[in-house]
Amino acid sequence: GTILQCRVLRLYDMTLNEREKRHNFAVQRNITDTKMIEKRLDQWTKPEDRSVGDKLLRFERFLKSEQHYQLMKDIRATEVLRRRIRALERCKQAGMLTMKEFNEQKETLSKRGRHSR
């Protein structure tokens, strides 16, 4: 009887320890503040940003909140630069010398698309 009671108490103690660990994790990362969570989610509204955020979410537990936020910000900046480089490469392939020419052509094409509907 007492051995069984000791095992039950050990299991219960482990459960309480795990609960306390999860609680501390939530408090450290300010997850309990729902307004802060909504603000974070609003920053990642574009689908491509969401996918990056979703992939990095599993690493959040290994970093401090500020470090994770900085990592997300840096990766987002990298993605913006990659998109910009791709746009400049398309501009170069189209034989344009400036981004202004590229933007003007893009506007012309989008206006044509709107008028043809």
Side-chain angles (χ1 to χ4, degrees):
T2 57
I3 295 174
L4 182 60
Q5 288 174 341
C6 286
R7 286 183 182 172
V8 169
L9 285 175
R10 250 189 254 131
L11 286 173
Y12 184 67
D13 185 48
M14 287 172 37
T15 303
L16 289 177
N17 289 341
E18 183 65 27
R19 186 182 296 171
E20 184 179 358
K21 202 160 74 172
R22 289 176 187 219
H23 172 75
N24 290 338
F25 177 82
V27 169
Q28 286 174 346
R29 301 222 169 9
N30 206 16
I31 297 174
T32 55
D33 185 5
T34 55
K35 289 184 182 178
M36 178 65 81
I37 293 171
E38 287 176 14
K39 183 179 175 187
R40 281 186 189 172
L41 291 176
D42 288 344
Q43 291 175 343
W44 306 98
T45 54
K46 293 182 181 175
E48 56 271 7
D49 291 340
R50 283 263 186 202
S51 68
V52 169
D54 291 343
K55 289 175 186 173
L56 289 176
L57 194 60
R58 63 184 69 131
F59 298 110
E60 184 174 10
R61 65 183 162 153
F62 301 112
L63 300 171
K64 292 181 180 172
S65 184
E66 300 84 26
Q67 291 173 322
H68 182 72
Y69 179 73
Q70 187 61 44
L71 176 66
M72 298 271 285
K73 220 167 101 175
D74 291 345
I75 288 177
R76 187 179 191 181
T78 303
E79 287 298 316
V80 169
L81 283 173
R82 284 184 180 154
R83 281 188 230 131
R84 177 86 170 145
I85 289 170
R86 284 194 294 265
L88 290 171
E89 286 173 344
R90 286 193 310 269
C91 182
K92 183 179 176 183
Q93 288 173 352
M96 297 171 198
L97 300 176
T98 64
M99 199 63 187
K100 183 180 176 184
E101 292 174 4
F102 180 75
N103 288 333
E104 287 172 355
Q105 182 181 9
K106 197 165 126 182
E107 279 184 36
T108 306
L109 290 174
S110 68
K111 285 180 184 177
R112 284 184 196 166
R114 280 187 241 139
H115 290 298
S116 64
R117 291 181 186 168

